[in-house]
Amino acid sequence: MVEKLVELIEGENPRRPFTDEELAGRMKVHRERIMELRMQAGIPDSRERLRRALIPEFRQLSAARPGLSERAMTAALNQMGYEVSRYLVKRLREELSRERSGEAFGSGDTLGGGDTLGIRGPFGSGDAPVSEAAPSGAKSPERGKSTPGRSAREGDEEDVFCGVIGFDGGLKNQINQAKAAVLYPPSGLNTLIIGASGSGKTFLAETMYRFALQKKVLEAGAPFVVFNCADYAENPQLLISQLFGYVKGAFSEAKENKRGLVEEADGGILFLDEVHRLPNEGQELLFYLLDKGEFRRLGDSGPPRRVKVRVIAATTENPESSLLLTFRRRIPMIISMPCLKERPIEERYVIIRTFLGREARQIRRQLVVEWPVVAALLTYPCSGNVGQLRSDIQVLCAEAFLASVSMGRPKVRIKAEQLKGALEDSCGSSGAVSARIPGFGRDLTITPEGGSDEGTEAADCAEAESLYQLIETAFEELGGRELGQEEVLEQVQSRINRYLNLPEPGQDCPSKTSLETFVENMVDRRLVEATRRGIDLAKREFPRLQDDLYSLLAIHLEAVLNNLKAGSYSASADTARIRRENSREYQVALAMVAQISKELDAAIPVEEAARITVYLKTFRSRIQSRPKRIRVIILTHGQVGVSMAEVVNAVMDMDLAVGVAMGLTESYQVALNRVIELAGVVDEGKGILLLVDMGSLTEIGDAVMEKTGIPVRSIARVDTLMALDAVRRASLEDASLDEVAQAIRWSQGFPAEPARTGEGLKPALITVCLTGEGNARRLKGYLESSVLNASDDIAIFEIGLLNAQRQREEIDRIRREYHILAITGTMDPEVPGIPFYPMGYVFSSQGLLALMGLISEYQGQKTSLIDVVRPELILFEPEPTITKNEIIDGLCASMETAGAVTDGFLLSVYKREMMGSTCMTQEKIAVPHGDSAFVTKPAIAVAKLAKPVVWSEDNVADLVFLFAFDNSCRKYAEKFSQLTEEKQRISNIRGARSKEEILKYLNF
């Protein structure tokens, strides 16, 4: 990959070098991977590469045409192929002037901030947070010139964005995006603003609203409605009712009809902050609003309501993991706000002066800030970005004001000795800012008259003023009591902390973490909260403890408490051995048991500490670093192996498997060379497991090992279940290549399945957890209700894992009487020959289908797809302009007409589409499906398209199979899976000239 990177950079335009993000897009890897490859190859970033071209040509142009104005110089450089701003030209001229004074050209790091110093385009991360409005007409205190955030351009109409610090520098890209989103005809673009907390997302949204009013895109008085989704995240129904309103009787508290915020925002902008806290159902409803401009109030069964509303959403999370794909695709404009540390130091200085000026006006006194304090504010790692910077400055001002009042001094002086924490650590870092800041090295004086706060909201001013009134009032009140000066100051400081929501000394701010939905529904809320706090206690000792321990431990403790109430509790843990082998975890578990018992007013037996110890040990070891892993290569004729690898990696949330497609006419030697090259790339030092579809290909493994020296073990007759088992075993920390290969061969070497006529062994499933009572019992109930049918003669056994000897004996006993199809639960008992499905996987749709397929394969029923496909359910070569939504609507309508589904199935199909792509990438086949609750009889509707349609991001489909399945349809799902593997049959369906021909090819 390094060679590919070098090739791209060597071919780039030196006047417009590729950013890491652009390179990542071209090479189809993550941006972090590009940075890693650049460092390996010793290649500088885009800013440094631009410097090499720009500075020499700028110097030559300046020498040849010394009389050029900044505007003309900017135009000349852009005509040469650069994309630079007048602000950058100004900075370069200053650098050139210093060069003539003896400094090296470029010593001021003119390009160090990428586009944050005026270069157009996404250099670096394309950042710079908006934050606060710059003072109107604010001047640099030393030179009397425009600040970097206020470099107004002659002849340009000044708009509301000109009041933003960095509007023509660090935030130029973001502001241009915001303007485009507002002005894009006919109704603008819905926008998602991404950025860390405090980076200015809300401020940008508000400025976009003011810009829309200014440009008359919105009518005067149009609403700007703000809603923070986090406020109601714990109550999804209440959250959705706040957004969309409700009708009388929609729920117990709905006494009358109520308009939602969507209606309140009609004709204006709805700003959704923390949108990632919006539940999937809310995102689906919002998608419908964005797509159709329609919505229904909660509980309303009448016709939809229409509104004209623009949506701006904001999130601190990665949208790819926190927002539904379809919802993201309805928001075309994404603006990424950078962290404060990524902004140029000059802009940070202007922001600091703005905040200080505001405080000076509120206290109506002169404010003197010692230079070490200014330097610390400029350089300290401000993790909360501009929002935290503002709060820290307010705290410093409040403390200095308190000292001023107590000492009777007219001036308020912020001293270096006030600094605490990160600010104190950064004190003395003035070398990092050097002479790039006006008044370098001198104390900063801010007068009330010079501290303009134009552009700030009245609420901000009122808040600041009330804070200082609080200090004066508290000081007067406490000063009249018989208290010492130190005690008075302590009590006033405590009131300041409470007012600003700051923790008292030694007090931590609690963090909030959500539990999985199914746990919230199954476990008492008090127990959930107590378990959460117990895990927080454990994290003090084990900070990297895995988060999903919450749900498993809560279910386990619920089972313990229920058994105690019923008098059926048994202490079966080998406490002495567990305590001896895991003393550190055991001590933490004891503390957890004591704390949870106290909170619940329940006597949890001390033996439970041993069981919790095993949980702690397991969920610590899962996240330890794993520098070396066994890699799995799946080699098959055709694309089957590639598809298998994609499925397995997605299901297991790993990247261990790599698929290789061998052409039907490809020679053995060519295939061997490709596998040798791939092995050299993917091997991590623990060897490679090669899974092939034909026995003859196993020889490739020996040849690869001989050529490369990499250990390779080969296994033939690969299928998806084998690949899943292989990746799961290969991911284990202590697994060796030989152990994994031996276990898989063993599992494949069992005798043939018993006859289906009732002879031989009956099938069984095993559910496991530590005790065999909590999670195992829950899982058994889930399997009985969601996976098995009444006609399935399959036994389910619950087994505990605490006693290894007893566990082995129990499994051996079951094996003598039953054929064990699979084991599922919280931890893998590592039984050779029996596949294991993790509990979280079984609760997912993929896991559910995998288990159904396993059972269906065992039962071996004769099935044909034409049992559920009829001519009236086939859409044959509709108009080439047909869209995805029109296809889904048409297929669902045909199913409803045929009596296969009821009203509501169509919406459930769209909801499933929002959860992720239903398109099989390699096959170009879409498989949408809906909720089985709306299925009256099994059916498959088929669309054969004359021209492919875009189905999801980067995916197209020319065959669509819409499933209406319930729990009895495992056999049809398995049959369809076989169909997708028969490439010739799929090709025949694509070439069919009638519905009858399609039915013929589906009958196999």
Side-chain angles (χ1 to χ4, degrees), residues 937-950:
K937 60 182 179 182
I940 299 177
V942 182
K944 175 191 175 298
L945 308 178
K947 181 181 178 182
V949 298
V950 175

Side-chain angles (χ1 to χ4, degrees), residues 447-642:
T447 63
E449 297 76 18
S452 171
D453 66 346
E454 292 181 23
T456 60
E457 295 187 12
D460 295 336
C461 302
E463 179 185 355
E465 188 168 2
S466 61
L467 169 63
Y468 296 114
Q469 288 174 350
L470 176 147
I471 293 173
E472 289 179 322
T473 303
F475 199 87
E476 291 172 4
E477 175 192 333
L478 295 171
R481 302 180 187 176
E482 294 183 359
L483 299 174
Q485 180 78 0
E486 187 174 338
E487 191 174 354
V488 169
L489 291 176
E490 270 186 23
Q491 291 199 27
V492 175
Q493 182 67 60
S494 180
R495 294 190 187 187
I496 293 172
N497 291 344
R498 288 196 297 273
Y499 182 87
L500 295 176
N501 291 320
L502 298 174
E504 296 292 338
Q507 181 183 36
D508 293 327
C509 298
S511 60
K512 203 172 186 181
T513 307
S514 299
L515 292 174
E516 297 174 54
T517 304
F518 72 89
V519 174
E520 292 179 346
N521 294 332
M522 291 193 295
V523 182
D524 178 76
R525 187 172 183 81
R526 287 182 62 233
L527 176 56
V528 169
E529 295 298 330
T531 305
R532 178 188 287 126
R533 285 187 284 272
I535 297 294
D536 289 341
L537 173 66
K539 281 189 172 183
R540 297 178 192 172
E541 185 70 20
F542 309 122
R544 298 182 63 212
L545 197 62
Q546 205 168 16
D547 287 337
D548 57 1
L549 176 55
Y550 283 121
S551 56
L552 301 179
L553 189 55
I555 293 173
H556 168 76
L557 291 176
E558 187 198 36
V560 170
L561 294 174
N562 289 340
N563 289 339
L564 286 170
K565 289 178 184 177
S568 58
Y569 175 81
S570 61
S572 57
D574 188 355
T575 304
R577 177 184 60 80
I578 292 172
R579 179 178 182 177
R580 182 175 63 253
E581 296 176 0
N582 310 278
S583 59
R584 187 178 170 204
E585 288 88 350
Y586 184 75
Q587 292 303 316
V588 173
L590 280 175
M592 291 174 67
V593 168
Q595 176 176 299
I596 295 172
S597 296
K598 182 178 179 181
E599 288 192 25
L600 299 177
D601 194 22
I604 298 176
V606 71
E607 288 84 3
E608 286 306 307
R611 291 168 172 165
I612 294 176
T613 295
V614 178
Y615 273 116
L616 292 176
K617 181 177 177 60
T618 300
F619 282 81
R620 280 185 65 212
S621 62
R622 283 190 188 183
I623 56 177
Q624 299 299 317
S625 60
R626 185 169 49 224
K628 296 180 180 180
R629 303 177 299 174
I630 299 169
R631 297 300 299 269
V632 179
I633 295 178
I634 305 175
L635 173 64
T636 64
H637 291 83
Q639 293 291 328
V640 177
V642 176

Side-chain angles (χ1 to χ4, degrees), residues 349-380:
Y349 178 73
V350 177
I351 294 170
I352 291 169
R353 279 186 54 85
T354 302
F355 290 150
L356 290 170
R358 184 179 305 165
E359 300 303 315
R361 287 197 61 177
Q362 300 313 311
I363 62 178
R364 296 180 295 279
R365 300 189 185 196
Q366 190 179 75
L367 191 61
V368 179
V369 187
E370 293 183 354
W371 170 251
V373 177
V374 177
L377 289 170
L378 285 166
T379 57
Y380 83 110

